[in-house]
Structure formats: structure tokens, C-alpha cells
Amino acid sequence: MTNQIKIFDTTLRDGEQSPGCSMNLEEKLRVAAQLEALGVDIIEAGFAIASDGDFEAVREVARQCQTATVASLARASIGDIDRAWAALKGARNPRIHTFIATSPLHMAVKLNKTPEEVLEAIRLSVSHARNLCGDVEWSAEDATRSDPDYLCRTIELAIKSGATTINLPDTVGYATPETYGAMFRDVLNRVPNADQALFSTHCHNDLGLAVANTLAAVMAGARQVEATVNGIGERAGNAAIEEIAMAIHVRGDVMPVRTGIVATEITRASRLVSGITGMAVQANKAIVGANAFAHESGIHQDGMLKDSSTYEIMTPASVGQGATNLVLGKHSGRAAFRSKLGELGYDLSDNEFGDAFKRFKDLADAKKTIFDEDIVALVDDEVLRGHDRIQVIEVEIHCGTGPARAIVTLDIDGVEATAAVRGNGPVDALFNAVRKLVPHDGTTLQLYQVHAVTAGTDAQAEVSVVLSEAGRTTRGTGAHNDTLVASAKAYVNALNKMVVKRGRGALEGLEAAG
């Protein structure tokens, strides 16, 4: 058995299914390019039949990718599979990924099919996919709650029908490392033609065991793992690529396998996905969190000064994390700022760098000390959203003992517009002004949250906003040393994502929703 583990990234498909994580085409292409730089083997670009937008994303990612295999998800139906192939056929290395549920609960309640009908659906769908494409993956949805004997029958049939990869997902995060590993050992031993396919994991994190379950399956014989950057995904998310890759790298003594991941690109990928989706990485997140290589305890600091291996099992540089010993302020020049951006995993174009440097100098005039977290916030907030259709130009607030008044200027598709509106407090007035400029009466504010990026009274504020409309949810973030300006940026960021998520060609679509 090979000791090479294939990395199947599903950030653009399963990851994007996180509430509020919709990406537009430009953003998906940018993420796909970084995933290739990261060294993933397969990129699942979307679910081609889900929408015209998903079809276009799969097609364009397939055309762009030079080395990675590009996959599209498809249900066990001829229409789904044909649509997937239509999007994929321009890829250098295409893969059709088809699936059907195999657990008694899903077959009876969701599919309304008998076990024999599901077997026939597997035969027809997989053989049709294989007639179109030489690389076919088949997934047994809810495999961990399926009957073991029946699961073996479905796998044997899928391989016989042409599947080259068999994926056994822990769809609802129900498994434990012991049970998930045992399932792989069981099917590899019992399925007669198991040696003719590669076996894959796909773990959800509902019990916080997604990475542990994935590694247990690898030890049991799985040779492909499906995961996402930062672990984003449905509900509690998926197994995190960066955690799987570094666990295998650091603990090669107990896991004698390897991946093709370029570890130094991990932080860059993490920050790109976080900046585009607005899903902040928690500070204590393994590998890529702000505190992953931070040490405050005096005992730990003493050990680190003597030998960093006393408290670090990997170096920040090994995963692309920059050291935090370069203190920036208002007297810093372009060279120092560019060096810091490189340490933090950013590679900006000249125009993007110019925008970021101007914002940095403005912030440095307002703050005594600039921390790494300040720079991350300003780059993610300003540069990565430079192409949004609605942008905040100016915010002016008047408040005191009487009603608050907000004067807001927005750039809407290249045209500036200003509104002055009163409200019950400054935030209410601010959001009312945005609503007057971009009407969206059918949209409701679900969450408004403020926290300081760093310590001190001059700290930048980072605001999170969640909007909902007709069952759709978007999350926006904004950072600024003025809390109300940050609030405006966060609200408008969420509004931009709602435009993308609704798939309308014009901003007037928001008004129509009211």
C-alpha cells in the first residue's frame, strides 16, 4: 500500500456551505490558485447543477487549474452527472464525484428508496459517470450510520461499476476515532475488489473529532482525505487541512505517511479564505491561530529563550507564520511594511500594496503602536474587498442627548450617493442611512458584535454583522479605529455578500426583495 496521502480540498464546495460564506467567481478563482500553491491534489470546485453560478465556477476553476484534479459534486442522477461533466470537460484532470445515501434513516426518510433501489441507482450513476470520465469518485453518504454488510455491498458494486475512489463520509460527525478506523479496516478486508480503488475520508466536526477521525482512518488504510482550509463547512465544519497536514508531518514517527502539502503556504491560504469569507480564525486555533505560536507565561518564555523546542513542536516559519518582533509605527517606511506583510503571509499587487500602505499610515497616525493583528485586520478589510459593488466612502455621526443623526456616503457601482438619516442611537441611524441608499426591506439584522483587535483605548474595533433574508444568511466584518466606521464597513460587507448569494445581476434586486 502506498504511503502517499492525497489531499482533496472541498473549501469551494462544502466550505462555502457555511452560513454567510458565499464567494463570487473572482474570489473562488483566487482561492483555487492558492490551493494549487498549497499543493492539494484535488479541488472540489462546486456542485455544478446547484445553480448557474456554481456551474460557471466549476467550469472556470477547471480551466484555470494547471496541476490539481478538479471535481464537481453530483447526485446519483443522469442529469446531475451530465451537468457536472459539461462544467468539467475543459479541465486537464477532471473528476466526477457522485454520491447517494446508504444509511437506513436516509434511504427511508430522505430518498424514499429501498436498499435494492439504491443499489440500482449506484450501478446506473457510477457507470454513466465512468463512461464520461476516467476518474470517478463515489461517496456513501452517512456511511458511519450504515449497516456494515450493506455498506460492503454498495462499495463492491460502485467499484465494479467504474468508481476509482470510494469515499466513506462521517456526514453528521457521529463517529469516534475507534469506530471510524474500524469501519475502514472492515471494508478493506471484506470487499473483494477493494484493491481496485482508493479509499477516502470526509469528516465533519460536530463532536470536535473530525481531524482525529481522519487520522484514524489514514492509519487504517485510507489514502485520500477530504478537508477544508480553516475547517470551514456545514454546521460545526469539516476536518482542517492544515491540522491534518502538520499532524502527519510532525508525527511521522507514528504515522509513516506523507502528503504533498507545501507547509509554508498554509498561513497564506488560511488568511485568504478567512478574509474572503469573513469567517475569523479563532485565536487559539491550531497551526494558524493568532496565539498558535504566542507565549505569555514567564516559565514558557524562559524556556523559549533557551531553546524554542521546549514549548514549540514546529516553528512559525514552517507553516508560513511570521515572527512578531517587527514593531511598526508612523515613522515606518514602505520597505518595512512590505517585509511585515510578507511575514504575515500576504502577497499583494502594487495597487493593493499602495492602498494597504495608505491605510496603514492613517492608522499609525491614530495609534502609538501597530500590532500584527492590526495589519491583518486592515488588509483583510480594505484590500481583499476592493472590488465590492457597494463601498463605504465617508461616515459622519452626530449624537448626544437628542436623536442621533448619520450622514453616510457610499460608492454604489461606481456612483457616489449620500444620505442623512436619524435613528434611535448612532448605530441605528448609521444602518438606516445605508438602508436608504440601498433599500433592502426584506433583510433583517441578526447579529451586531464589536470587539477590540488589540489592547488599549486607541485599539482598532472589529465589528461583525449577520444579515438574513428568506432563509439566506451572510456574515460581514469591518475594522477601523472608529467603531462606527467599522460598523458601516461590516454592514456593507454583509450586504455585498447578500447580493452575491441571491445571484442577482443588479443591486435593485435587493429592493425587490422588500
Side-chain angles (χ1 to χ4, degrees):
M1 180 180 292
T2 179
N3 64 353
Q4 182 70 31
I5 304 298
K6 289 188 175 182
I7 302 294
F8 179 114
D9 180 273
T10 185
T11 303
L12 297 178
R13 200 276 301 169
D14 202 324
E16 199 202 14
Q17 291 174 201
S18 297
C21 280
S22 292
M23 292 178 251
N24 61 33
L25 177 59
E26 180 185 351
E27 290 167 340
K28 287 187 176 184
L29 290 173
R30 192 171 180 179
V31 171
Q34 179 56 37
L35 291 174
E36 281 208 294
L38 182 61
V40 305
D41 300 286
I42 303 101
I43 297 173
E44 188 167 49
F47 196 168
I49 204 168
S51 68
D52 289 341
D54 253 36
F55 178 88
E56 183 183 18
V58 174
R59 183 185 62 197
E60 294 308 313
V61 170
R63 289 173 176 173
Q64 173 182 285
C65 286
Q66 301 294 312
T67 56
T69 294
V70 179
S72 173
L73 191 65
R75 291 167 299 189
S77 75
I78 301 303
D80 275 37
I81 292 166
D82 286 345
R83 187 68 168 162
W85 179 241
L88 288 170
K89 58 187 178 182
R92 290 168 178 81
N93 303 294
R95 173 182 292 189
I96 295 174
H97 179 194
T98 184
F99 73 98
I100 195 169
T102 57
S103 69
L105 177 63
H106 278 229
M107 288 190 291
V109 175
K110 190 179 75 171
L111 300 178
N112 193 28
K113 290 182 181 292
T114 67
E116 292 304 317
E117 288 173 330
V118 168
L119 286 171
E120 180 62 10
I122 293 169
R123 186 186 67 79
L124 292 173
S125 59
V126 174
S127 59
H128 182 67
R130 185 57 187 268
N131 286 336
L132 298 173
C133 181
D135 187 350
V136 176
E137 177 171 338
W138 176 75
S139 288
E141 186 184 11
D142 206 21
T144 53
R145 295 191 295 175
S146 298
D147 174 74
D149 293 336
Y150 181 71
L151 182 63
C152 287
R153 289 178 64 197
T154 64
I155 294 169
E156 181 180 1
L157 177 59
I159 296 172
K160 184 178 179 181
S161 300
T164 51
T165 300
I166 299 295
N167 181 40
L168 303 179
D170 185 23
T171 304
V172 293
Y174 179 72
T176 65
E178 292 78 9
T179 60
Y180 199 56
M183 180 183 70
F184 276 84
R185 282 189 292 271
D186 184 52
V187 299
L188 285 167
N189 287 329
R190 292 178 57 192
V191 174
N193 53 359
D195 61 332
Q196 298 174 30
L198 195 74
F199 280 73
S200 175
T201 73
H202 182 113
C203 295
H204 282 266
N205 206 36
D206 298 71
L207 295 177
L209 296 172
V211 171
N213 288 341
T214 297
L215 296 175
V218 167
M219 295 300 290
R223 287 298 177 263
Q224 176 181 286
V225 298
E226 302 193 2
T228 61
V229 175
N230 296 335
I232 65 172
E234 289 273 14
R235 304 183 309 279
N238 290 51
I241 279 182
E242 61 276 5
E243 295 179 25
I244 295 167
M246 291 312 294
I248 289 173
H249 176 74
V250 172
R251 295 310 311 270
D253 57 327
V254 294
M255 290 180 284
V257 294
R258 64 178 186 270
T259 74
I261 291 296
V262 181
T264 52
E265 293 289 335
I266 284 175
T267 297
R268 194 186 307 273
S270 169
R271 288 179 176 156
L272 177 63
V273 170
S274 176
I276 285 175
T277 63
M279 289 284 284
V281 176
Q282 66 194 58
N284 65 332
K285 168 80 167 62
I287 316 300
V288 293
N291 292 345
F293 298 97
H295 307 270
E296 187 170 336
S297 161
I299 294 173
H300 286 213
Q301 289 174 346
D302 179 63
M304 288 294 296
L305 289 170
K306 293 172 180 174
D307 186 338
S308 63
S309 65
T310 54
Y311 288 103
E312 286 185 352
I313 59 174
M314 68 195 92
T315 66
S318 70
V319 295
Q321 284 256 34
T324 55
N325 59 355
L326 180 60
V327 178
L328 297 179
K330 63 181 181 180
H331 299 297
S332 300
R334 289 176 174 269
F337 185 61
R338 192 180 290 277
S339 174
K340 173 56 71 174
L341 288 176
E343 289 179 11
L344 294 173
Y346 292 108
D347 183 16
L348 304 183
S349 69
D350 289 343
N351 288 338
E352 289 173 337
F353 175 80
D355 293 341
F357 184 72
K358 182 181 182 301
R359 178 83 186 276
F360 158 70
K361 295 295 277 188
D362 292 341
L363 180 62
D365 282 335
K367 292 196 66 181
K368 292 179 180 179
T369 305
I370 305 296
F371 297 95
D372 288 0
E373 291 85 352
D374 291 315
I375 296 171
V376 169
L378 75 85
V379 173
D380 286 352
D381 181 56
E382 193 75 8
V383 177
L384 296 180
R385 298 171 188 168
H387 301 293
D388 283 351
R389 297 177 65 185
I390 314 168
Q391 300 205 26
V392 178
I393 302 300
E394 188 174 4
V395 174
E396 184 178 341
I397 303 293
H398 301 270
C399 60
T401 55
R405 183 168 177 260
I407 305 173
V408 176
T409 301
L410 301 179
D411 182 312
I412 305 170
D413 277 343
V415 178
E416 290 192 9
T418 301
V421 181
R422 296 184 183 276
N424 185 22
V427 175
D428 184 54
L430 175 66
F431 290 176
N432 286 343
V434 175
R435 285 180 178 275
K436 183 174 181 180
L437 291 169
V438 186
H440 49 286
D441 295 336
T443 305
T444 59
L445 178 66
Q446 296 293 314
L447 173 72
Y448 172 75
Q449 193 171 61
V450 182
H451 78 274
V453 174
T454 56
T457 56
D458 62 351
Q460 281 199 103
E462 188 168 80
V463 176
S464 297
V465 164
V466 174
L467 299 178
S468 68
E469 177 195 272
R472 293 177 286 264
T473 302
T474 58
R475 181 193 309 271
T477 59
H480 197 272
N481 57 312
D482 186 312
T483 303
L484 292 170
V485 176
S487 300
K489 287 175 173 288
Y491 193 95
V492 168
N493 180 232
L495 201 54
N496 276 299
K497 291 183 177 181
M498 188 63 76
V499 174
V500 172
K501 197 159 191 177
R502 298 185 71 228
R504 298 293 179 90
L507 291 170
E508 285 76 15
L510 282 170
E511 184 174 3

